[in-house]
Every structure is written in C-alpha cells, then in structure tokens.
Amino acid sequence: IEQLLEPIAEGVDVPSAMTEIPYVAQPARVPAPAMTPRGMLSPQQYDDLEGRGIVELPIPTLMAFRPVTFERYGYPTRIAHMRELLRYADHNSEPEIAGMYRDGATFEPVGYVNAFTADERDLLDTLRDRVAKATLSDFGRAVRPVSNLLAQTGPFRVMSHLARIYQLAPLTLYEVGPGAAYLGAMMAIAGHRYLSYDITQSLYLWQQYLMQAVAGSDFVETAGMAEFDKSISARVVHMPWWQYVKLLHDCPIRCDVVYSNSNLGEMSPLALKHVLHISRAMLQDSRVGLFCYFSTGMTAQNSPEQLAAAFVAAGYRLIFDKPFMAYVLDDGPDARPIVDAFKDGIPFYDPSGRGGNYNANQVMALKRSEAPLDAALAEWHYGWQPPFSD
C-alpha cells in the first residue's frame, strides 16, 4: 500500500503520533448476508468481538492500534458484506506494477526478482487455484491473484532459505500486519507454521478467508476466544489485535522469525514498542531469532532513524541491511549463519533441484474472467498489460 499512497502523500505534512487524524467516513452498516462462507467470522461478528475485546483496554492502547495511515488516505478499512472481500484478493493499482513484469525486473522494497523456478511456479499455481476456486464457489466470481502474490515471493524465499540452512521442518514465522497474507499462504502450503495479527478489519477478514482456503483443518481462528489459548498447536494461527496486545506481559508464543514489512514506519511509537517487546519473547528460544523487513512503509510516525533507535532500546542489534533489514537479539544465538546465508543475495526456492527460469507473465497467466477487480483500472491508469492467456 505504501507505493499506492506515496504519490498522494508527496508534499503533504504527515501526522505525528499525537496529531489529529482527519475523519474518513466509512460505508453505512447494513445487515449481513444470510450465509458466511464456511462458518467464518462475518464483519458483524468481528465488530462485536472487537467491541467486547477492547472494553478493558486503556486509551493509549486504543489510540496506538489504529490503521491511521489507511484512514488518512481513505483506504477501505472495514467491510459490511463478505462478498466485499473480493477486492482484497489482489491489488494492482500501484505505478510500479507494470515494471514488475519487465524482463530482469527487480523491486527492492519487497526483495522481488522477475525470475522463478519450477518449484516456485508450482507453488504459485497451487495457491492461485485454491483462491480462484474458493472465490468462485463462495461469491460467484473467481479472482486469481497476480501482483500482490508476486510481491511476496521475495520474503518467501528468505523464509524458505532460513528453514533450509537451520534444517527446520517446519520453520515458525510470526507476521505483524500481513496485508493480503500471501506470504503466510505460501508458508502454509510449503508446510511451515505461520501465525499473524492485524489491526484492519477488512484485511483481517480477508486473511481469515485466505488461510481457511489454503490450510483447511490446519487453520485456527482465535478471535472468538476470550484470550489466546496457550495449548493451540495448529500450523496456521490467526489472532486479532486485541489479543495480541495482551501478550505484552505474558507471551506463550515462540517462533523463529518475526516479519513486519511496509508498516513499521506507520505504527505509533507505542505500537512499535509493543511489537518489539512481544517479539523478543517470541524469539528468545529460537536458534534463528530473527526480526526482519525490507521496507519501513510510509514514515508517517517513525523515521528510519527512530526505528533504528527503537530496535536498539528494545535489545536488538542490526546484523545487515541488504538485501533486507535483519535484526537479532543482543543476547541471542550466533547470527553468523544468517549473515553467511544472504551475503550473496536471496536464493531461489528450489527444493526439488529442477531449477527453471520462468518469468512473471508466465507464472501469473490468467483468464480475463478471473482478473482481480482493479485489473482494468490498472491497465487504463498505468498502462499495465495483465498477463491474460485468452
């Protein structure tokens, strides 16, 4: 989303943590449809659970955990009907999208390289088929993800390589603010353990929908629980923000990597402090113990210098800043395996050893009837040529 908003934000004063955020009207609330796909949370159920979950949270926490950047620029943070989830299945409305399909293209804010192995092609095909099948079945309109999915291939390669060098099957990843959640979906299909939280209702409901579609019985939604159940052993776990903040003083979750891309600069300083503190607890027992990201996102509330200072204050140290930002705990294990693993860049995902050299147009081919909702708009506005196969 940062690429979508940057042209708009150019020359505009961005609010600090305590600056009043202009009110953006949300769509009128309407009754929920009679059926919610596969018994998942409806928007109305989410809103009710959130209302009950925040009753005893203090005002500073409520102020800190709001999607203020989205709200400032009018990004739709809430939905009323489940069918509205179709718009979150993929987005292609950034000026950089057309360039991602050019031969040899790279895009550092997500570690993207326009080249794919046979294993990557097969994994992407599996994921896209499941999303298209689910959306067609539930909403009568298939959406096959394209660009948003492409943007997650870089971080997926990072996680896969870490799992390989540390011989972790599975690696456990906790993602802060997963957006459309395609990193988590790829991790789930590849057999890893994945947990996440988000503060935006619309994206949270899409994440729930996607994870149910790709992980099935291996997926657990915790929003209906009074508090996080320490005994949960499911491979894919989805938790709401009002549960996440309660991990501040007692965090039972353990993971190998915390990933938080394109949002650290957009968090309030208090939310950032929560994330860094809770992540320390999550990482403390891992042989990996890595906190990483490619991009800060919009620096609406934290500059790169402020982020660096916050990491140091929370007990982390930077081990490298290319090809991504990599922090480990001051008192954590030896980080040399991580440094050595990425000193020459990010390796491709190629567990079968088949290799291959496919490009974005080949791995993202789709029928016009399955195009994301904004494909025509992006084609007109940015001159992007979607990889239509018909």
Side-chain angles (χ1 to χ4, degrees):
I1 193 66
E2 91 222 43
Q3 287 81 35
L4 175 65
L5 299 180
E6 278 174 355
I8 304 173
E10 196 170 305
V12 177
D13 292 332
V14 182
S16 69
M18 297 304 292
T19 302
E20 181 180 356
I21 304 298
Y23 173 75
V24 178
Q26 298 294 332
R29 310 304 290 168
V30 295
M35 297 295 291
T36 298
R38 292 184 293 279
M40 291 181 290
L41 292 176
S42 70
Q44 291 71 27
Q45 289 170 326
Y46 176 97
D47 293 347
D48 180 62
L49 289 170
E50 182 181 46
R52 285 187 276 162
I54 67 174
V55 167
E56 295 185 5
L57 292 181
I59 288 174
T61 304
L62 299 179
M63 294 174 65
F65 285 83
R66 279 183 55 202
V68 294
T69 304
F70 282 168
E71 290 171 348
R72 179 176 176 83
Y73 293 104
Y75 183 88
T77 61
R78 308 194 82 85
I79 64 170
H81 290 290
M82 290 297 280
R83 196 171 189 277
E84 293 179 71
L85 292 180
L86 286 172
R87 72 172 68 103
Y88 300 92
D90 193 39
H91 61 78
N92 304 272
S93 301
E94 291 85 6
E96 294 83 6
I97 291 299
M100 292 175 68
Y101 293 81
R102 298 191 183 110
D103 289 343
T106 61
F107 189 51
E108 289 188 3
V110 287
Y112 173 76
V113 176
N114 183 11
F116 303 89
T117 66
D119 287 322
E120 291 169 341
R121 177 204 60 191
D122 292 349
L123 185 146
L124 294 171
D125 281 347
T126 298
L127 196 162
R128 298 174 79 216
D129 286 346
R130 292 184 188 180
V131 174
K133 181 180 179 180
T135 50
L136 178 61
S137 174
D138 293 325
F139 306 126
R141 174 23 167 122
V143 173
R144 188 171 292 271
V146 188
S147 303
N148 201 280
L149 176 54
L150 274 184
Q152 299 308 313
T153 54
F156 174 74
R157 289 166 177 166
V158 170
M159 305 308 159
S160 299
H161 192 48
L162 287 168
R164 187 178 69 82
I165 64 173
Y166 280 96
Q167 299 182 337
L168 292 169
L171 176 137
T172 299
L173 169 66
Y174 196 101
E175 186 170 12
V176 173
Y182 285 119
L183 171 58
M186 286 188 282
M187 294 291 287
I189 292 173
H192 297 292
R193 189 159 194 252
Y194 175 79
L195 305 91
S196 67
Y197 93 92
D198 206 296
I199 63 172
T200 304
Q201 182 245 40
S202 55
L203 289 173
Y204 190 90
L205 291 170
W206 166 255
Q207 293 155 16
Q208 171 199 228
Y209 182 83
L210 175 64
M211 292 306 164
Q212 176 71 24
V214 300
S217 60
D218 283 334
F219 169 72
V220 168
E221 170 61 62
T222 71
M225 301 175 183
E227 59 184 33
F228 183 78
D229 184 349
K230 300 178 181 181
S231 67
I232 291 176
S233 60
R235 199 159 46 81
V236 180
V237 181
H238 193 221
M239 65 190 308
W241 71 268
W242 59 88
Q243 280 181 2
Y244 177 80
V245 299
K246 294 176 183 177
L247 301 179
L248 185 62
H249 302 297
D250 180 19
C251 179
I253 298 171
R254 296 295 181 266
C255 66
D256 300 301
V257 182
V258 174
Y259 180 68
S260 182
N261 202 52
S262 295
N263 54 27
L264 293 175
E266 300 170 11
M267 293 181 186
S268 73
L270 181 57
L272 175 64
K273 193 170 183 178
H274 274 74
V275 167
L276 297 181
H277 183 86
I278 293 170
S279 296
R280 274 196 62 89
M282 291 182 176
L283 296 170
Q284 65 184 359
D285 298 327
S286 172
R287 292 186 291 122
V288 185
L290 175 68
F291 191 116
C292 61
Y293 62 96
F294 287 91
S295 169
T296 64
M298 295 184 69
T299 52
Q301 304 205 56
N302 297 292
S303 68
E305 294 76 18
Q306 288 171 318
L307 287 174
F311 271 98
V312 171
Y316 296 79
R317 61 186 176 88
L318 181 69
I319 56 173
F320 56 78
D321 59 8
K322 297 288 183 181
F324 54 90
M325 301 293 291
Y327 284 90
V328 294
L329 304 183
D330 281 340
D331 54 356
D334 184 1
R336 282 177 294 182
I338 303 174
V339 175
D340 291 342
F342 298 101
K343 64 183 179 182
D344 297 319
I346 301 171
F348 292 100
Y349 174 69
D350 187 28
S352 73
R354 290 179 293 164
N357 188 22
Y358 299 91
N359 62 39
N361 285 294
Q362 292 170 318
V363 299
M364 289 293 122
L366 77 162
K367 297 177 181 178
R368 294 174 187 272
S369 61
E370 297 179 340
L373 299 190
D374 67 348
L377 180 64
E379 191 174 5
W380 168 74
H381 189 38
Y382 292 115
W384 174 50
Q385 297 182 350
F388 292 132
S389 59
D390 57 357

